[in-house]
Amino acid sequence: MASKLLIALSLAAAAPSSIAAMRWQQRVLLVAASHEQDPKLQQQRRIIARWREAAAERDVTVVEVVGERVTGARDAAASLRRRFRLPPDGFSTLLVGKDGGTKLRQTRPISATLLEETIDAMPMRRQERR
């Protein structure tokens, strides 16, 4: 019985939370595309795959909204599209700071260099590095 409880607690801790619950804890890289085959989505995924370690160091969580599917958070796709003004068609990427504000928005993939420069210039990130 105790092992089942530990497994349940581990799964609950691993389950993604909502973007609102991540506030003050995580920065969010929100990537939205209308379909899985979008070449910009594939390019952004490759950038993120190479940038995982630096993203973790900067407390970045990646949330994808592809069509009506959301990964990385338990929010509904329609809710995220409305809240962050994401187009229903096409591609959009935005960086949400720990304060919940949008810090960077593009309709093309964001490079790892630009992500790092933007995050590292944030006052909260400068405090974290001290």
Side-chain angles (χ1 to χ4, degrees):
M1 182 68 170
S3 63
K4 286 185 180 180
L5 179 60
L6 287 175
I7 291 170
L9 290 174
S10 295
L11 290 175
S17 60
S18 69
I19 289 180
M22 294 180 202
R23 192 170 184 176
W24 304 117
Q25 305 300 312
Q26 294 286 298
R27 294 173 182 92
V28 176
L29 180 62
L30 187 55
V31 181
S34 54
H35 57 87
E36 190 70 35
Q37 294 75 27
D38 186 315
K40 292 178 182 178
L41 172 64
Q42 300 305 319
Q43 183 182 358
Q44 188 69 68
R45 285 178 173 168
R46 286 189 298 274
I47 291 167
I48 292 166
R50 291 187 301 265
W51 191 62
R52 288 261 180 229
E53 191 173 310
E57 179 184 313
R58 289 168 175 81
D59 299 328
V60 175
T61 295
V62 177
V63 175
E64 285 189 359
V65 181
V66 180
E68 294 304 311
R69 182 180 50 85
V70 176
T71 56
R74 67 172 162 227
D75 301 279
S79 172
L80 290 176
R81 287 186 187 282
R82 210 173 22 257
R83 179 176 170 198
F84 292 102
R85 298 182 336 256
L86 301 171
D89 296 322
F91 179 85
S92 185
T93 303
L94 59 109
L95 177 64
V96 179
K98 286 186 177 183
D99 64 357
T102 300
K103 309 303 179 186
L104 182 61
R105 176 185 296 268
Q106 291 191 6
T107 56
R108 62 184 187 277
I110 301 175
S111 71
T113 302
L114 182 55
L115 286 167
E116 287 181 18
E117 288 172 353
T118 302
I119 292 168
D120 290 349
M122 295 176 181
M124 195 174 297
R125 173 66 178 154
R126 288 195 305 258
Q127 287 178 337
E128 292 167 357
R129 295 173 75 186
R130 288 184 189 159

